[in-house]
Amino acid sequence: MRILSYHRVCDLPPTGDIMESLNINPVVFDRQMAWLSQKGYNVITPEQFIEYRDKNTAPPPKSIIITFDDGYRDNLLIALPILEKYGFRGTFLPVTDYIDSDRIFHWLKLGEKSITHSQANRQYWLPLTGGDIREMSARGACFGSHTKNHRYLTRLSPDEVAEELTASKKRLEDILGKPVVCFSYPHSDYNDTVKNLVKKAGYRAALTNEGANNTVKSDFLALKRVPMTGLDSTAAFRRRVEGGYDWVWWPGAAVKFLRRRQR
């Protein structure tokens, strides 16, 4: 079973910023979801995948999970209605210190002249609010954490990692009024120490961006996701879903591999 990793669904013009390749045009996203629907894919959530694991039962054939990192407001305004159009449930993983703020996500900052940050394009850089998250949850969306501040966890002390994990989990649980059990590693950056802290914090599934298949026998603290980009053709999207690009690793995964080889 594959887990797809999205970030933004928006029609923002080319900006030259670090996120540009991860911006999916709404028409393209709709076309992708239509293809999944036509091919009979069964969209589930990480929570449901955990239930299948606990029962040692494989999910239904052609099951897939659709996730969105960071917590952009276009997830509510654009992505969610398209998912609903096809009867799909999305899983959203916001960076919690940006919830209810007008702050630009720090990784987008390119200067005040960037088109991304203009007031005319506020809808593209505004983070989700607590009210947005409650509304999305009421409409069937699943939520997990992407830390407080989107930091590289392997560069932090254990106490700092624990704070990123537990504070973000509590913030979402306070908003949603129910447990949060899913987590996404920022930058796909993790090691065994971080994984143990994720488990200790109470998460039951954690997501990387190392494209590959998952089963109920997989390591649920390092589930593999397939990164989606706005540069993909429809044929490329199909290959990603069907496993044709599993050998194309996310850069963070490649770096970890090279470090292991040097030990």
Side-chain angles (χ1 to χ4, degrees):
M1 188 192 72
R2 280 174 178 78
I3 305 175
L4 308 186
S5 172
Y6 288 94
H7 289 76
R8 307 174 75 180
V9 179
C10 62
D11 56 359
L12 188 67
T15 62
D17 68 33
I18 193 171
M19 290 295 296
E20 183 178 338
S21 67
L22 300 179
N23 296 344
I24 311 292
N25 184 278
V27 174
V28 173
F29 185 67
D30 188 286
R31 190 180 302 135
Q32 293 174 351
M33 297 303 102
W35 183 83
L36 292 175
S37 179
Q38 291 163 6
K39 294 299 180 180
Y41 278 88
N42 174 53
V43 179
I44 66 173
T45 67
E47 294 172 351
Q48 291 171 311
F49 194 25
I50 291 168
E51 291 175 5
Y52 286 115
R53 189 271 309 272
D54 290 347
K55 296 175 182 177
N56 197 29
T57 302
K62 303 187 82 169
S63 288
I64 198 167
I65 296 174
I66 301 174
T67 69
F68 298 81
D69 281 358
D70 298 343
Y72 304 96
R73 198 152 192 262
D74 58 55
N75 291 176
L76 164 66
L77 300 178
I78 303 175
L80 184 62
I82 294 174
L83 291 168
E84 291 175 326
K85 177 180 176 180
Y86 297 99
F88 293 162
R89 295 181 68 188
T91 297
F92 300 86
L93 303 120
V95 180
T96 59
D97 265 15
Y98 287 88
I99 295 171
D100 286 320
S101 78
D102 280 345
R103 291 190 296 134
I104 298 170
F105 293 99
H106 66 263
W107 54 90
L108 294 181
K109 286 194 175 181
L110 291 175
E112 294 181 0
K113 293 183 180 180
S114 171
I115 188 173
T116 306
H117 307 149
S118 70
Q119 285 301 307
N121 289 310
R122 287 182 82 248
Q123 71 270 26
Y124 295 111
W125 53 258
L126 277 177
L128 291 169
T129 68
D132 293 336
I133 291 170
R134 283 187 290 271
E135 176 186 343
M136 294 169 74
S137 177
R139 290 164 63 177
C142 176
F143 278 89
S145 165
H146 198 36
T147 70
K148 286 181 60 183
N149 290 299
H150 205 272
R151 301 169 75 186
Y152 285 87
L153 297 181
T154 62
R155 303 176 185 178
L156 305 180
S157 70
D159 286 346
E160 290 173 319
V161 174
E163 172 66 13
E164 289 284 336
L165 298 172
T166 58
S168 59
K169 187 174 190 293
K170 184 179 186 304
R171 178 75 185 278
L172 286 171
E173 289 177 341
D174 287 346
I175 292 170
L176 295 166
K178 60 183 178 181
V180 168
V181 298
C182 181
F183 176 77
S184 168
Y185 296 104
H187 314 286
S188 198
D189 178 52
Y190 69 99
N191 55 25
D192 288 343
T193 298
V194 171
K195 281 173 58 178
N196 288 334
L197 290 168
V198 167
K199 182 178 181 179
K200 184 177 180 180
Y203 296 102
R204 302 193 63 205
L207 310 172
T208 74
N209 272 324
E210 301 166 8
N213 196 38
N214 300 281
T215 73
V216 293
K217 301 297 184 183
S218 296
D219 180 357
F220 268 60
L221 294 180
L223 290 172
K224 313 301 183 184
R225 289 189 298 178
V226 182
M228 298 288 112
T229 82
L231 307 176
D232 287 340
S233 64
T234 301
F237 170 76
R238 294 173 182 176
R239 286 194 293 273
R240 288 187 187 278
V241 172
E242 294 170 348
Y245 290 153
D246 282 359
W247 59 273
V248 182
W249 287 6
W250 189 256
V255 168
K256 286 196 286 289
F257 174 76
L258 292 173
R259 285 174 179 169
R260 293 189 193 111
R261 291 291 299 270
Q262 293 169 357
R263 289 173 184 170

